[in-house]
Amino acid sequence: QVQLVESGGGLVQAGGSLRLSCVASGRTSSWYRMGWFRQAPGKERELVASISWSDGSTYTADSVKGRFTISTVNAKNSVYLQMNSLKPEDTAVYYCAGKSVPHQYNYWGQGTQVTVSS
């Protein structure tokens, strides 16, 4: 069973940067996509960014476009989220997720807290 472990969260001032990492305990390069989700208190979980293992195509949500960048290192079964120009509204628990089957993300990490102060 593949497990995903996130790291890199923390407390940062508005305008600052953080880099989140997600490492899988097993091979993930055959999966369809990897993604980063976030969930703020009282809100639904939302997709922030995703990337295809096969061709590297990416998606970023409008709320983070131009500020966040997703990337992978296939040989390390890892995915990263570079977050720049952070805003207080980016405060949330960020989850790494993997899609090994069509239509759904079926592997999830435990989450890492990102807090952006005003």
Side-chain angles (χ1 to χ4, degrees), residues 14-95:
S17 298
L18 286 173
R19 182 175 174 85
L20 304 184
S21 298
C22 173
V23 180
S25 62
R27 295 180 64 184
T28 59
S29 58
S30 63
W31 293 3
Y32 288 86
R33 301 188 74 85
M34 298 291 293
W36 286 96
F37 291 75
R38 68 185 181 186
Q39 186 168 24
K43 296 184 178 180
E44 296 294 320
R45 185 163 53 197
E46 63 175 341
L47 177 63
V48 176
S50 67
I51 185 167
S52 169
W53 284 113
S54 60
D55 62 11
S57 63
T58 61
Y59 161 85
T60 53
D62 288 344
S63 59
V64 304
K65 192 167 295 183
R67 300 187 298 118
F68 291 11
T69 303
I70 189 171
S71 62
T72 60
V73 178
N74 290 11
K76 297 182 178 180
N77 295 307
S78 58
V79 60
Y80 306 91
L81 186 68
Q82 179 66 46
M83 305 186 294
N84 298 325
S85 301
L86 283 161
K87 304 175 180 179
E89 51 262 44
D90 295 319
T91 296
V93 177
Y94 284 71
Y95 297 90

Side-chain angles (χ1 to χ4, degrees), residues 1-20:
Q1 183 73 22
V2 173
Q3 293 184 314
L4 305 177
V5 179
E6 305 99 331
S7 63
L11 175 64
V12 65
Q13 190 175 13
S17 298
L18 286 173
R19 182 175 174 85
L20 304 184

